[in-house]
Amino acid sequence: MTLRSPTSAMLWELWRVTRAEIAWRLALPIGVGVAALLLGAAFGPADNPASYQRLNDHVAAFALIVIVLPHFVGWLSMAKLNGSRPGFPLYLAYTRPVRTSVMVGLPMAYLTAVSMAIYLASAMVLRVTSGYAFPLQPVAAWIAGLAVVLMMAAWSTRNRVFQVCVAMFAVVKTLVAGMDRITAVEVPDEFDWPPRLWPTLFDFPRTDYAWIALIGLASFVVTIVMVRWDRRGDSVPLAAAPRALAGVITRTPDGGLWDWLVGLFRVPCPTASATRAQVWLDLKSNGMPPLTIGVALAIVILLMSAVSGPIDAAINADPDVKCPIAECFYVRSAPPLFLTPLSLVTVFFFGGNAFGIRWRQGRTYVSPFEATQAYGTAELAVLKLLVKSACVLAGLIAIAVSFWISIPLLGDAVFVQIWGVPLSSRRSVITDAFAALTGYEQLALAVVAAVGVVVWVASWAALGALRTRYRRLITIAVCLLLLYGVFFVWLGVAVSVDPKTASQLHLDVVHRAMRWIAAVATVSTTVYVFWSGFADHVLTTRYASGAVALSAAFAAAWLTVLHIAGVQLAGMSAMHAMSVVWPALLPLMASGLAPWSYSRIRHT
Amino acid sequence: MGQTTVVDVNNLSRSFHGKRALDGVSFSATAGHVHGLVGANGAGKTTLLKHLLGLLRAATGSVRVFGLDPVRDPVRVLGRVGYLSEERELPEWMRVDELMAYTQAFHPTWDETYARQMLESFALDPSKKIRELSKGMRAQAGLIAAVAHRPELLILDEPSSGLDVAVRRDILDAIVRTVADDGRTVIFSSHLLDEVERMSDHVTMMDYGRVTLSGVLDDVRRGYQRSHVRFVEHFDQPPVLATALAMEGGGRSWIVVHSGSIEQFHHSVLALGGEVVESRDATLEEIFLARTGRNRQQVEAA
């Protein structure tokens, strides 16, 4: 391959860095969107055309959100280049004989163009699949503007606070402005932006495009100027910015959000034993971030719930507001509908990477510092998992407790309901149901929840380790699983739409095969990792005994939970019984797989 | 007198993505000696050291440190080993005192007084985060963590790479002090051949994943001569001389690095009508360049 100019070399570099992300940014939204549209078309109430249309309109709106949503997040592959720290990610190019404007402008232009292209491709695929007029250039222009502003926020300063504030402002402003545009007209008896009105609603005025171009240009110039200062090692001249702002922008670079969270609490490192020291290290470097984030989000949920009532009342006091407060989408719907689920997902997300795998400049590796400490591989893996799981669990509990306390503050708004009953009314029912359980049943629920979190953390950690060690193999396996899932969905749709071409029998066969494959894969993986772990001296008899005891406890708890849920194994077919009991095997598999996979990256 | 073998590597091979990084390497290190590991970039030095630490699993062959497999028994091996890498990968969020406390917890033999003395002599601020330290300071902090538990085996991978003279001296002093403790062993890799020549008593040379030379440094040096040879006749190409490994020069005057029988070499010079003007033991650098074929004119050994 011959690269004839710095520009082509930089474009090639950008393509290499971003191609995997481009693939999933394209595949995932299109996959989810198409699947949703197909499911909507297949399982909608065909006997009631009005309901059928309404359902599919909602699904189309959901699909539009799905293809737009990834663009509210910056480019992760670029952020990984400098370990997700704020600042210009291609700083290694500072020594190249390239002007700063080219060094900054080219990646910005490339990423903006790619963002637009990804959206346009996704929208066109959904157009062809569904027949709905998914908007093209208006949304693509908004996405381009947002992409440039997000890049400006991330690249032009090494200050995380400044970066987060600008990014949040850009995202919120884009959302609000976009929603204002498309919900400007009240549509009776349905949501305000039904697909049939999209061509009109998304026909933004030319001034919008002018604003987007202006904001993009300004972001572009600001980024070039700031990166030029960074390249020269200069501070921001005070003449160019007010003293306070210059202080914020040029503050000593920190190690990013994660490092900030790590350094938040100062606890002395115990020296009495290696285990305590390792717990301290993992607590600081791995555990505190999800716990801190969980607690912070719990506080936000509580505060937001407390202030939502007065804010909603103030909105409702506006004579222009025609929607009754109990039925409309006001502030009080945010904690239960968005904030709490998003908070739980965030804490789960931060529960990944328990083994502390690092990414830098395309390299994936485990810290050699920890790997060369005199500590057993299985013990180290388990310690890391337990510390991380405990912190994730604590974060989740904090969010759940906060939400539970917040429920009475939310009132009886329509959006906060379970099976047609407001959540606040359900609270006492849930409390009574839990109180009616025996101590053993309550313990079983707690065990299942706790071990479930550990299994989740262990599975992600093991997957990360295996992906580091056997990248291609794991990618192929994940792709095959996705293909299988797509095939399963397609078959389900086909059976529903046209039972002549695909019978229920086919669907049952595939479903049954899936269940058998899952069970056989679980058992064979468990047997292999324990056998290999023993052969490599990673696992010991003592460890295996502990794992079996824990798994047995989980199995007992799982059966109890099934009993609480009213599931009776007696009289059930063997296939069905196996599907129901199968999760009980997961802790045993995870307890073997986690140390085995960690040994694969500690001793590559 | 029998010497305790601390490290025993036998016929070790390892490939990365089809490229041979180690090819049938055998290497041993005995207690109480400094073993220098030299070789060009990509010769396999770091790969070999990573096998000793158990960071890499032997594909073929065996690795024994203190008679144990470092992959299967990391606790008993790493508990007796101190390690400092070229990259000096330390947790950036830790403070220097936290790094010391953390490392101490893994080593019951930690010498608190020694660690404090080194911290003071390096003028390292214990409250500073690793992230805030310069490259040299990081090397010093890593060095304290590696030697303060008085390891039986100290492994240093390019320890002085990219460091200034003062920090390099600190590291070399640490090697000397480690060896001064009875029975301790040091294995260190370096590009700086004069450093290896000054510090090591054993040297192992690697090239393209193979050990090309290994032995006691003095014996190695005695086995190679550098001679200045002058001929009556003019040679456009290097003349064919017995035992010659590499030649530099042209015309009538040639500098030759040769090994083996000196008489045989002299005889072959005389046979071509030349004379040996000057002869001395070759330096490690001259031997390295001759052995690895990186001299300007490489000669097939006779």
Side-chain angles (χ1 to χ4, degrees), chain A residues 278 281 358 376 535 603-604, chain B residues 14 54-57 72 94 102:
Chain A
Q278 191 58 42
L281 183 135
R358 297 149 181 228
H603 317 289
T604 47
Chain B
R14 178 75 196 220
L55 295 178
L56 293 174
R57 207 181 283 263
R72 291 189 164 192
M94 264 193 200
Y102 175 77

Side-chain angles (χ1 to χ4, degrees), chain A residues 85 255 259 262 266-267 269-271 273-274 277-278 280-281 284-285 358 363 365 368-377 535-537 599-600 602-604, chain B residues 14 16 50 53-57 70-72 74-76 78-79 83 87 89-95 98-107 129 131 145:
Chain A
R85 287 178 167 81
D259 281 5
V262 164
R266 197 163 298 289
V267 183
C269 174
T271 55
S273 79
Q278 191 58 42
W280 171 84
L281 183 135
K284 290 265 293 178
S285 65
R358 297 149 181 228
R363 204 176 137 222
Y365 61 102
F369 174 74
E370 281 183 71
T372 50
Q373 297 301 337
Y375 208 75
T377 303
D536 288 347
H537 290 227
S599 88
R600 297 284 132 176
R602 188 188 191 188
H603 317 289
T604 47
Chain B
R14 178 75 196 220
F16 295 110
K50 282 186 171 177
L53 292 158
L55 295 178
L56 293 174
R57 207 181 283 263
V71 171
R72 291 189 164 192
V75 181
R76 289 207 287 166
L78 295 172
Y83 170 60
E87 291 167 349
E89 278 265 7
L90 301 170
E92 301 215 325
W93 55 269
M94 264 193 200
R95 299 187 333 180
E98 289 174 334
L99 173 70
M100 298 303 143
Y102 175 77
T103 316
Q104 181 183 356
F106 289 84
H107 301 284
K129 285 186 178 175
R131 186 193 308 135

